Amino acid sequence: MTTTMAQALNAALRDALKDDDRVLVFGEDVGTLGGVFRVTDGITADFGEDRCFDTPLAESGIVGFAVGMAMGGFRPVVEMQFDAFAYPAFEQITSHVAKLRNRTRGALEMPMVIRVPYAGGIGGVEHHCDSSEAYYTHTPGLRVVTPGTAQDAYDLLRDAIESPDPVVFLEPKCRYWSSEEVTFTRSGPRMDQALVRRHGKDVTLIAYGPMVATALETAEAAKAEGWDVEVVDLRSLSPFDDETVTASVRRTGRAVVVHEAAGFGGYGAEVVARVTEQCFHQLHAPVLRVTGLDIPYPAPKLERHMLPDVDRILDTIARLQWDDTPVVAGA
């Protein structure tokens, strides 16, 4: 059936609640309101306040409460209402959520999901839009995933809820209302597996979350320039699927990493390093990046100037030494 990403997430939560009595959903305004983005719409009415309930406006308390529940055998799914709202809970996430299983030598699992509506594209300012993936992927002990499609929203969330490890689930806000055909079955790839969304032979675009659709749009536009573009959707940011990514880059010989987070110290730098180390002898040009600007998310009317778009990605593809001319320093 055709559904939006928000509806697919709602369906995943409902199916998880039906299948496992240990699953609980809670956070700010997730109950009666159904969440700011209506991802939890109707769940409290259908499952009761014992299974889906509102919490005080206290992110650190929400995550700390979830840690205790996970230690007690539940599978909590908590919502951080906006990406930048999650920072008060950062100490809980890095010091306890990520480390408890290691600290107890595996005696205690930490089966919890932290849902984070993230990134831009909705005209929000810095406290309501941020791309914080690098903070979480740099923290050992956390799984970090992000869907780029409605189907993946369903598949990844079901897998995340069943994982014995804590999962930071980054939901691209600008894609909540994008729709596609979705099958509500458990037939997708593994949670930690990247996918080739479009096959091509000339260059690999590596993207995730909100930039997957932009990368696919770029691949279509690139036909006019004579480039056959392959698009790889990472899906899992940590752990990283080296096998799928490097196999694609070795085939095409060129790669561009696309994300809307700031470039300096961003997640793409790690991707570039891994690809360069593993594909050096197959590369025809340096691996390049297209990222957001190194500034806080700007005012709504200026946001479009910060976010990567088709033209910026095409301009970057054009820099990939198609004539095999060596790069000259200072040129």
Side-chain angles (χ1 to χ4, degrees), residues 5 9 116 118 145-157 168-173 175-176 197 208-212 233 235-236:
M5 181 178 286
L9 292 166
V116 184
Y118 95 114
V145 301
T146 179
T149 67
Q151 181 67 62
D152 254 2
Y154 179 85
D155 292 340
L156 286 173
L157 187 53
V168 176
F169 195 92
L170 301 174
E171 301 171 5
K173 295 191 290 285
R175 304 300 179 193
Y176 273 139
R197 295 287 181 191
Y208 56 87
M211 285 292 110
V212 172
D233 176 0
R235 303 173 75 246
S236 174

Side-chain angles (χ1 to χ4, degrees), residues 305-327:
H305 298 293
M306 173 189 169
L307 302 179
D309 60 16
V310 171
D311 288 339
R312 283 180 59 194
I313 300 173
L314 288 175
D315 288 344
T316 302
I317 292 174
R319 294 167 47 207
L320 291 172
Q321 298 178 229
W322 294 98
D323 58 358
D324 294 325
T325 301
V327 175

Side-chain angles (χ1 to χ4, degrees), residues 104 114 120 125 138:
T104 63
I114 303 172
V125 292
H138 188 66

Side-chain angles (χ1 to χ4, degrees), residues 122-169:
I122 64 167
V125 292
E126 68 271 12
H127 292 127
H128 294 79
C129 286
D130 208 354
S131 292
S132 47
E133 58 266 37
Y135 300 140
Y136 301 116
T137 58
H138 188 66
T139 304
L142 298 176
R143 288 181 176 266
V144 184
V145 301
T146 179
T149 67
Q151 181 67 62
D152 254 2
Y154 179 85
D155 292 340
L156 286 173
L157 187 53
R158 290 301 309 276
D159 288 346
I161 294 171
E162 292 186 1
S163 171
D165 298 312
V167 181
V168 176
F169 195 92

Side-chain angles (χ1 to χ4, degrees), residues 63-241:
V63 174
F65 180 52
V67 169
M69 299 199 78
M71 292 172 66
F74 290 95
R75 290 183 173 269
V77 182
V78 303
E79 178 182 302
M80 303 285 100
Q81 197 169 71
F82 287 93
D83 31 37
F85 288 13
Y87 297 143
F90 196 67
E91 194 276 332
Q92 290 280 0
I93 295 171
T94 57
S95 294
H96 302 292
V97 174
K99 295 180 172 66
L100 193 62
R101 190 173 188 181
N102 182 73
R103 184 184 299 140
T104 63
R105 299 184 181 182
L108 285 175
E109 295 182 342
M110 190 49 49
M112 61 180 289
V113 179
I114 303 172
R115 293 182 42 244
V116 184
Y118 95 114
I122 64 167
V125 292
E126 68 271 12
H127 292 127
H128 294 79
C129 286
D130 208 354
S131 292
S132 47
E133 58 266 37
Y135 300 140
Y136 301 116
T137 58
H138 188 66
T139 304
L142 298 176
R143 288 181 176 266
V144 184
V145 301
T146 179
T149 67
Q151 181 67 62
D152 254 2
Y154 179 85
D155 292 340
L156 286 173
L157 187 53
R158 290 301 309 276
D159 288 346
I161 294 171
E162 292 186 1
S163 171
D165 298 312
V167 181
V168 176
F169 195 92
L170 301 174
E171 301 171 5
K173 295 191 290 285
C174 67
R175 304 300 179 193
Y176 273 139
W177 303 280
S178 61
S179 60
E180 63 173 298
E181 286 292 317
V182 176
T183 303
F184 297 126
T185 60
R186 306 298 301 284
S187 57
R190 300 190 319 269
M191 181 171 61
D192 59 357
Q193 184 178 343
L195 285 178
V196 177
R197 295 287 181 191
R198 184 187 189 278
H199 290 277
K201 61 182 178 61
D202 295 328
V203 56
T204 299
L205 284 186
I206 303 168
Y208 56 87
M211 285 292 110
V212 172
T214 305
L216 290 169
E217 185 181 353
T218 301
E220 288 300 310
K223 293 178 181 178
E225 305 294 333
W227 298 317
D228 188 10
V229 176
E230 183 152 299
V231 176
V232 174
D233 176 0
L234 293 181
R235 303 173 75 246
S236 174
L237 305 186
S238 181
F240 186 83
D241 182 359

